[in-house]
């Protein structure tokens, strides 16, 4: 898309989104943003209407996780404040989403009239988003608008966090600065700091008896998975992933250990990582869930901790050493290649032979079947709850094929995220795993799958309530109104529904779903409310102690 010399503010924003790879904008229009929607309609970007702004926010987040940048476009306050939660998730889990909100025009704001959708002041929504984004702006000055657009988008890309752009409606079609050149913000490491950091890291890794890499989500966000792979291949140092970073490395690699989650995860992975005298944490978030509710025993004196925001080796902090440069430096450095050691490998989940196929399906049985069902084009998209914890043990084929809100943990992510994933990567077939509770929040966003010709396979884990919470503390507040989930296609006017109560029915439904292309499949799996995955049992035992 060529940069027009006489672009308007709205057109320039569209050009920059397009230049950074965005092809779809999720949202719902309103009068304050209709002018911009019309500009979008005349542009190469496709607008994707969702049922609710929250769905649009989750879809844009997933799109950003797959494609590197996403955008959600809403109207003032009534729409904007509905994406506060999804923007918070994108911030917490590092997903660069540009939140675009229409707003009253600059002229309309004079004398502070009570215009519809206004909360308290005209800048109330902007103030909220200052807390939820890495950069924010109101494009109320045509002289600086283009520069502001670049500043905010560059910040989102640099920090992999959301950013906020507010468009007063009377300036969307105003021309910006005519001779402005688009700006990016190249960044470099301080060579001295980088050299010192690499020297200490190389010495520590080479001297270590049992080094191990703990790989997390930032490797994916910064496109550094190939570098991780090369580092492991070059040194023969095994790699464990966190739950948030799961699938950052293809799980079939011989040096892949499995998911490390402190006492929540598999015992042999925990023992191997915690016995290491040099844990190389790459792009890791030290969150409670990633660390098994702080049951992880990782000693800073034995750690190299490298992220886009911090680099520390043992107790030394190195400023101005970029994560990317540090990792590339390790690839160039003289790191000792080790003999292939003996370390644990993730067990392949397989459906237990001779299972009582007509017996009720269990959580364990469900994940065994799902595991066998994964194909090279599957992207597993999980919601909070049993879906996420059970999926930790799925054996993901290639890199980056697992998405789940494993830190901020907002319910309602998965169904709209499945839509974002498939639009970002049309070759992918999303396998959406979602609890009945989470489905009741955003499941109707499947409507968008029909409208835009997408065909995710959605598995609803129907355990009749908020299963995750029952072992912590149970009561009628954990129950749900039972829905006939498998009949949702009738309401939406398309797609296929399946009701599954046994292993046999599950195997049949999955086989039929694999063959059915062109519209979504919804597989409702009825589970015993008291049946939990081992990971969830371990987690809730720990959380219950804190309540
Ligand atoms: C938006 C939101 N509201 C509430 C919660 C608290 N919460 C965590 S898990 C959970 C229950 C999830 O129920 P469901 O989706 O049916 O999955 P299950 O736990 O039964 O597998 C709740 C209410 C949350 N994480 N996110
Ligand atoms: Mg449930």
């Amino acid at each position: 898309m060529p940069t027009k010399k006489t672009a308007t503010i709205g057109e320039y924003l569209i050009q920059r989104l397009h230049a950074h790879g965005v092809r779809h904008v999720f949202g719902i229009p309103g009068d304050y943003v209709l002018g911009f929607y019309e500009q979008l309609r005349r542009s190469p970007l496709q607008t994707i209407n969702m049922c609710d702004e929250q769905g649009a926010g989750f879809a844009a987040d997933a799109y950003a996780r797959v494609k590197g940048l996403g955008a959600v476009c809403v109207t003032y306050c009534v729409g904007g404040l509905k994406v506060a939660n999804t923007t918070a998730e994108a911030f917490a889990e590092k997903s660069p989403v540009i939140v675009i909100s229409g707003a009253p025009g600059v002229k309309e704001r004079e004398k502070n009239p009570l215009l519809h959708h206004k909360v308290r002041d005209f800048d109330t929504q902007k103030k909220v988003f200052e807390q939820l984004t890495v950069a924010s702006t109101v494009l109320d000055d045509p002289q600086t608008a283009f520069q502001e657009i670049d500043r905010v988008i560059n910040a989102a890309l640099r920090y992999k966090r959301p950013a906020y752009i507010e468009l007063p409606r009377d300036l969307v079609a105003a021309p910006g600065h005519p001779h402005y050149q688009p700006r990016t913000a190249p960044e470099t490491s301080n060579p001295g700091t980088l050299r010192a950091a690499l020297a200490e890291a190389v010495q520590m890794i080479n001297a270590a008896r049992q080094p191990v890499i703990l790989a997390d989500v930032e490797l994916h966000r910064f496109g550094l998975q190939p570098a991780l792979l090369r580092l492991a291949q070059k040194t023969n140092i095994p790699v464990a992933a966190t739950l948030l970073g799961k699938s950052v490395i293809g799980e079939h690699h011989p040096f892949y250990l499995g998911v490390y989650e402190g006492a929540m995860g598999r015992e042999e992975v925990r023992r191997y990582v915690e016995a290491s005298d040099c844990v190389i944490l790459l792009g890791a978030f030290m969150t409670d869930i990633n660390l098994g509710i702080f049951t992880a025993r990782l000693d800073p004196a034995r750690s190299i901790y490298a992220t886009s925001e911090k680099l520390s080796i043992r107790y030394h902090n190195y400023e101005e050493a970029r994560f990317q440069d540090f990792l590339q430096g390790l690839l160039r450095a003289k790191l000792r290649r080790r003999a292939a050691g003996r370390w644990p490998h993730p067990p392949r989940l397989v459906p237990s032979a001779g299972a009582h196929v007509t017996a009720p399906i269990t959580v364990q049985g469900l994940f065994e079947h799902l595991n066998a069902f994964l194909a090279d084009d599957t992207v597993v998209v999980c919601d909070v709850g049993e879906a996420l914890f059970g999926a930790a043990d799925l054996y993901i084929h290639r890199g980056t094929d697992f998405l789940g809100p494993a830190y901020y943990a907002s319910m309602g992510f998965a169904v709209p995220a499945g839509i974002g994933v498939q639009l970002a990567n049309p070759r992918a077939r999303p396998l959406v795993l979602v609890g009945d509770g989470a489905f009741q929040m955003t499941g109707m966003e499947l409507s968008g799958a029909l409208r835009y010709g997408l065909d995710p396979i959605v598995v609803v884990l129907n355990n009749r309530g908020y299963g995750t919470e029952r072992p912590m503390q149970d009561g009628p507040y954990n129950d749900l109104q039972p829905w006939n989930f498998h009949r949702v296609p009738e309401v939406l006017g398309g797609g296929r529904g399946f009701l599954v109560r046994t292993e046999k029915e599950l195997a049949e439904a999955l086989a039929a779903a694999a063959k059915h292309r062109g519209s979504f499949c919804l597989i409702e799996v009825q589970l015993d409310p008291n049946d939990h995955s081992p990971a969830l049992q371990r987690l809730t035992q720990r959380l219950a102690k804190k309540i």
Side-chain angles (χ1 to χ4, degrees), residues 100-380:
I100 303 163
S101 175
V106 173
K107 287 246 157 43
E108 291 173 275
R109 300 186 191 204
E110 285 165 11
K111 301 209 183 108
N112 202 15
L114 294 180
L115 296 187
H116 63 287
H117 302 341
K118 190 171 87 169
V119 183
R120 176 185 297 218
D121 301 312
F122 279 109
D123 61 356
T124 301
Q125 177 172 277
K126 159 85 160 58
K127 282 188 188 145
V128 169
F129 277 88
E130 280 169 9
Q131 302 297 315
L132 306 174
T133 58
V134 67
S136 57
T137 189
V138 179
L139 300 181
D140 54 7
D141 179 356
Q143 280 302 309
T144 55
F146 290 1
Q147 201 177 324
E148 280 295 282
I149 290 170
D150 282 338
R151 177 181 70 79
V152 163
I153 294 181
N154 287 340
L157 292 169
R158 158 66 181 84
Y159 294 99
K160 311 296 177 198
R161 304 237 200 225
Y164 174 79
I165 296 179
E166 187 172 308
L167 295 172
R169 65 173 158 185
D170 56 355
L171 291 182
V172 172
H177 199 292
H179 303 296
Y180 181 79
Q181 287 300 317
R183 276 176 215 169
T184 48
E187 241 193 315
T188 48
S189 297
N190 176 322
T193 316
L194 184 64
R195 219 177 303 119
L198 283 166
E200 182 172 3
V202 168
Q203 185 275 330
M204 184 175 169
I205 296 169
N206 280 342
R209 177 185 40 81
Q210 185 178 304
V212 64
I213 296 169
L214 188 54
D216 202 350
V217 66
E218 270 200 351
L219 288 165
H220 164 241
R221 302 288 193 266
F222 285 87
L224 291 170
Q225 289 136 302
L228 167 67
L229 198 62
R230 278 174 35 226
L231 184 64
Q233 279 163 342
K234 167 180 161 162
T235 57
N236 251 333
I237 297 176
V239 180
T242 62
L243 186 53
L244 192 61
K246 182 177 167 69
S247 86
V248 68
I249 188 159
E251 302 198 334
H252 54 275
H253 285 295
F255 40 73
Y256 180 64
L257 295 170
V259 174
Y260 171 77
E261 315 169 74
M264 237 169 78
R266 285 185 13 251
E267 179 60 16
E268 64 271 27
V269 181
R270 185 182 73 80
R271 244 185 282 126
Y272 192 92
V273 173
E274 292 178 5
S276 165
D277 50 347
C278 177
V279 183
I280 308 164
L281 293 124
L282 296 179
F285 287 174
M286 308 294 254
T287 73
D288 57 349
I289 292 184
N290 262 351
L291 300 181
I293 312 301
F294 296 124
T295 56
R297 286 194 202 94
L298 296 178
D299 179 359
R302 295 183 282 119
S303 305
I304 295 173
Y305 183 67
T307 70
S308 67
E309 286 167 27
K310 185 178 158 90
L311 172 61
S312 59
I313 301 174
R314 297 191 185 103
Y315 292 112
H316 306 142
N317 284 328
Y318 293 90
E319 305 288 334
E320 292 177 67
R322 287 198 329 154
F323 182 40
Q324 299 89 315
D325 296 339
F326 179 70
L327 202 52
Q328 297 299 344
L330 285 182
L331 286 176
R332 281 193 299 270
K334 288 209 172 82
L335 283 174
R336 174 154 81 82
R337 183 177 167 79
R338 289 149 195 278
R342 264 186 281 142
W343 49 72
H345 293 289
R348 284 170 181 260
L349 275 176
V350 278
S352 356
H356 301 291
V357 288
T358 51
I361 183 94
T362 59
V363 174
Q364 170 81 11
L366 168 64
F367 280 98
E368 286 169 359
H369 279 275
L370 290 176
N371 204 53
F373 177 72
L374 299 181
D376 275 349
D377 63 352
T378 312
V379 176
V380 179

Side-chain angles (χ1 to χ4, degrees), residues 435-438 461-468 480:
D436 48 344
L461 286 75
N462 182 3
N463 56 6
R464 284 180 272 149
Y466 299 145
T468 303
L480 288 169

Side-chain angles (χ1 to χ4, degrees), residues 54 58 85 383-389 408-412 434-441 461-469 472 478 480 532 536:
Q54 177 171 228
F58 283 136
N85 179 55
D383 216 294
V384 180
E386 202 60 89
L388 185 62
F389 296 114
Y408 185 74
S410 174
M411 288 163 71
V434 53
D436 48 344
F439 189 93
Q440 289 198 359
M441 292 186 179
L461 286 75
N462 182 3
N463 56 6
R464 284 180 272 149
Y466 299 145
T468 303
E469 299 192 337
M472 291 184 234
N478 287 328
L480 288 169
H532 299 300
L536 189 60

Side-chain angles (χ1 to χ4, degrees), residues 425-465:
N425 178 7
R427 287 189 305 279
R429 182 128 201 230
L431 176 66
V432 174
L433 308 180
V434 53
D436 48 344
F439 189 93
Q440 289 198 359
M441 292 186 179
T442 57
M444 289 305 171
E445 296 291 359
L446 272 177
S447 175
L450 283 178
R451 178 163 170 188
Y452 298 104
L454 307 172
D455 57 6
I457 299 171
V458 177
V459 178
V460 180
L461 286 75
N462 182 3
N463 56 6
R464 284 180 272 149

